[in-house]
Amino acid sequence: MSTVSAGFRLVRAGWVLVREGVVAALPGEELSGLPKFGWRLARLFTRRRALAYERSDRLAKAVVRLGPSYVKLGQFLATRPDVVGNDMALDLAMLQDKMHTFPRAEAIAAIEASLGRKVADLYAQFGDPVAAASIAQVHAADTIHDGVATKMAVKVIRPGVRRRFFQDLESYFLAARLQEKYIPSSRRLRPVEVTETLAQTTKIEMDLRLEAAALSELGENTKDDPGFRVPSVDWERTGRDVLTMEWVDGVKMNDIAGLEAAGHDLKAIAANLIQSFLRHTLRDGFFHADMHPGNLFVEANGTIVAVDLGIAGRLGKKERRFLAEILYGFITRDYLRVAEVHFEAGYVPRQHNVAAFAQAIRAIGEPIHGQPAETISMAKLLTLLFEVTELFDMATRPELILLQKTMVVVEGVARTLDPAFNMWKTAEPVVGGWIAGNLGPRGMMIDARDGAKALLTLARQVPELAARTDRLSREIDLMAEHGLRFDETTARAIGKAEARYSRSGRLALWVIALTLVYIAWKII
């Protein structure tokens, strides 16, 4: 039954996308066969007034009609240009995460249920909502510390958003399974795995304790950094459904006129933003992955304050080295080294030729050296790089895609502040400093120390590994002698699962088909 309801919700979503002209805005002329017929049919059912809007506006209107969970889906897919394409990813990245507020009484009920205390005991004053997004909204409040009132920001989960999201998630999984089953060319994009990543990401974002932990971690990492910080967390007043943090007084970074009126140096802010982001990425391997200008404030002294850390990115040591060497290789035009880094990291399969891959990278790097530095986009370079790596069977790397998306946004904000922004000159001190500290003699000593620790850990596990090897050897001998066998219960469970999957898939397809026929009949 859940598959049937998921099928109905999926049909409704498709119908809204058709009526709002989102499907008609896709490049359907490049299609052929049944997909092109479906695209032409979608154009017939599109609202006439929708055809007058730009594609991004059509998408925004459709998402508003579909609800908060589709806002999150759109924002997530904006991080996956490998799945939806670069143009659609840019449109999705422009989606405004602004929703209607919910009543103050519901927010109070959510806080009291989450913290087990009365709001009057937690806050000296609890105000009306000042901003609302798809998952939560923010209230202004006061707390008393040592007899002094302190203004705080209180983020509260939207009532019912978890139930609504997980209902829609069933539809997303159904669409992903159908796509994998009936569109073989899409399997390399792993739609089911992408949907599982979306589910996990949103589960984390809907637990405000985890956002508080991310703020705390980023705060510790940046406590000595010049010109950048995040709000402090009030852990006593923070739970799964509520996050209380320091109130930030500053000018939003999307208010250019306000920044100029406050006397800020926009060029210095742009440089500080890029260097802070690269510092977090390379030095810490932990970065704010939703750094659009609405989440960035500038205080009176020029310090950048980043809020809303529901989405964060992590890079391991290997990925950080990969990123730094790629950027430095393009700066020095050492394309062979850039290619070797891809192979050393295991991103490109060994059956490909390093020299051929270096030639493809040269095709990206050489054109940028004939341009003024301020016109060269690092984000665009990474986008082209990932497009080339697809030709050499580089598997999708979610952590690098998220980094690419965030870099596109951050670089875009910097260029809004300073149209003549020189990305390479600004980035070189951070990237070059990291390479000198981590790939030189000091870095080699650190690698040797880490290797020694790994060997010591392995040595401690030798007895256990020997016992496991012995058990595995005996089990393999038994399998070779008697074959691989399932017990009766396992075989019966596998049969039932396969039958249930086949029935539910067929039923969902019939429901979708009948619904489309009904919609067409009503319109005609």
Side-chain angles (χ1 to χ4, degrees):
M1 185 57 69
S2 62
T3 302
V4 174
S5 59
F8 274 114
R9 286 193 294 270
L10 194 59
V11 168
R12 175 184 173 271
W15 178 241
V16 169
L17 293 174
V18 167
R19 292 291 283 165
E20 294 298 338
V22 176
V23 178
L26 298 175
E29 296 295 347
E30 301 175 6
L31 302 175
S32 61
L34 190 59
K36 187 166 187 176
F37 172 76
W39 176 75
R40 286 177 172 171
L41 197 63
R43 288 180 63 86
L44 293 176
F45 291 150
T46 299
R47 297 178 191 271
R48 287 187 177 182
R49 62 185 181 187
L51 294 174
Y53 297 128
E54 295 292 332
R55 185 176 60 190
S56 58
D57 294 329
R58 299 183 194 184
L59 194 59
K61 289 179 182 296
V63 166
V64 168
R65 284 186 61 186
L66 290 170
S69 58
Y70 280 85
V71 174
K72 277 295 141 198
L73 174 64
Q75 291 177 332
F76 174 78
L77 290 177
T79 70
R80 300 302 303 270
D82 58 321
V83 175
V84 298
N86 287 324
D87 292 340
M88 182 61 74
L90 290 174
D91 288 342
L92 290 169
M94 294 170 63
L95 285 176
Q96 294 295 308
D97 195 2
K98 296 178 180 178
M99 307 293 291
H100 296 298
T101 60
F102 54 87
R104 177 174 176 272
E106 292 185 14
I108 290 175
I111 292 171
E112 293 180 344
S114 182
L115 300 180
R117 297 169 62 186
K118 293 291 184 182
V119 164
D121 297 332
L122 294 164
Y123 307 103
Q125 181 271 337
F126 186 79
D128 292 325
V130 295
S134 57
I135 286 181
Q137 71 181 24
V138 177
H139 295 253
D142 289 335
T143 59
I144 303 298
H145 296 281
D146 298 327
V148 178
T150 304
K151 191 174 184 180
M152 308 294 283
V154 183
K155 188 173 183 178
V156 187
I157 286 287
R158 184 176 290 275
V161 70
R162 291 189 183 90
R163 177 180 54 81
R164 174 66 186 273
F165 181 82
F166 290 119
Q167 284 178 345
D168 287 334
L169 195 61
E170 293 178 356
S171 304
Y172 303 159
F173 273 111
L174 175 60
R177 289 195 297 268
L178 293 174
Q179 183 179 353
E180 280 198 355
K181 187 173 183 179
Y182 294 105
I183 309 178
S185 60
S186 71
R187 290 171 188 164
R188 81 172 179 86
L189 299 175
R190 298 181 283 190
V192 172
E193 187 175 318
V194 168
T195 308
E196 289 171 349
T197 304
L198 167 64
Q200 180 62 23
T201 300
T202 309
K203 284 179 185 177
I204 292 173
E205 196 171 354
M206 287 183 184
D207 190 334
L208 296 184
R209 294 169 298 189
L210 299 181
E211 181 178 345
L215 283 168
S216 177
E217 181 178 351
L218 190 58
E220 288 184 7
N221 292 343
T222 61
K223 65 179 184 294
D224 297 324
D225 287 359
F228 184 94
R229 70 182 189 88
V230 293
S232 58
V233 175
D234 184 339
W235 285 99
E236 180 187 352
R237 296 168 177 82
T238 293
R240 189 183 73 147
D241 296 340
V242 55
L243 166 59
T244 303
M245 56 191 157
E246 169 193 359
W247 181 271
V248 177
D249 281 317
V251 183
K252 277 194 175 183
M253 206 170 281
N254 55 7
D255 183 3
I256 303 298
L259 292 172
E260 291 176 339
H264 291 297
D265 184 344
L266 300 190
K267 292 184 178 181
I269 292 173
N272 182 21
L273 178 65
I274 290 294
Q275 290 183 346
S276 294
F277 170 71
L278 289 173
R279 198 177 291 119
H280 307 160
T281 303
L282 294 174
R283 180 192 65 195
D284 308 321
F286 181 66
F287 59 92
H288 193 311
D290 195 16
M291 292 182 74
H292 64 75
N295 283 341
L296 300 169
F297 292 81
V298 181
E299 294 181 311
N301 63 358
T303 297
I304 297 171
V305 185
V307 301
D308 194 2
L309 199 50
I311 304 175
R314 290 190 184 275
L315 292 180
K317 189 172 183 179
K318 181 176 75 173
E319 287 77 21
R320 283 183 271 165
R321 177 173 295 180
F322 169 75
L323 173 65
E325 289 215 57
I326 281 179
L327 296 179
Y328 201 71
F330 275 108
I331 291 172
T332 59
R333 302 174 74 175
D334 189 351
Y335 305 119
L336 181 60
R337 180 57 191 154
V338 175
E340 289 172 346
V341 169
H342 279 78
F343 281 80
E344 290 171 6
Y347 293 153
V348 177
R350 288 288 177 180
Q351 69 264 24
H352 291 289
N353 183 276
V354 176
F357 188 52
Q359 178 185 353
I361 291 174
R362 181 181 291 273
I364 299 171
E366 282 302 299
I368 71 174
H369 283 283
Q371 301 178 30
E374 62 269 16
T375 67
I376 302 171
S377 166
M378 185 185 294
K380 180 66 174 177
L381 184 147
L382 288 179
T383 300
L384 292 172
L385 178 64
F386 291 149
E387 287 178 358
V388 166
T389 54
E390 287 181 13
L391 300 176
F392 289 82
D393 303 318
M394 176 173 164
T396 298
R397 307 288 306 186
E399 71 279 9
L400 297 180
I401 294 293
L402 185 59
L403 170 69
Q404 175 198 355
K405 173 258 184 183
T406 309
M407 188 170 285
V408 168
V409 173
V410 173
E411 186 176 10
V413 175
R415 290 192 187 278
T416 301
L417 296 170
D418 178 13
F421 181 70
N422 187 326
M423 182 70 174
W424 297 97
K425 183 177 179 180
T426 306
E428 189 171 3
V430 179
V431 177
W434 190 90
I435 287 177
N438 290 271
L439 302 184
R442 179 186 169 193
M444 293 175 65
M445 292 178 63
I446 293 173
D447 288 345
R449 182 196 65 191
D450 293 343
K453 286 182 179 179
L455 285 173
L456 181 60
T457 301
L458 182 62
R460 289 172 178 168
Q461 296 175 349
V462 165
E464 183 182 352
L465 291 173
R468 288 183 181 178
T469 303
D470 183 55
R471 287 198 302 271
L472 179 62
S473 177
R474 289 198 300 268
E475 289 173 3
I476 291 174
D477 288 341
L478 289 173
M479 288 171 56
E481 184 177 350
H482 303 291
L484 180 62
R485 297 184 179 184
F486 293 116
D487 59 41
E488 185 178 350
T489 304
T490 303
R492 191 182 303 115
I494 292 174
K496 285 183 178 179
E498 183 64 26
R500 184 166 58 252
Y501 177 78
S502 299
R503 285 198 303 270
S504 62
R506 287 195 297 269
L507 182 58
L509 287 174
W510 274 108
V511 168
I512 292 171
L514 292 173
T515 306
L516 289 174
V517 170
Y518 172 76
I519 291 172
W521 176 74
K522 292 291 286 184
I523 291 175
I524 295 172

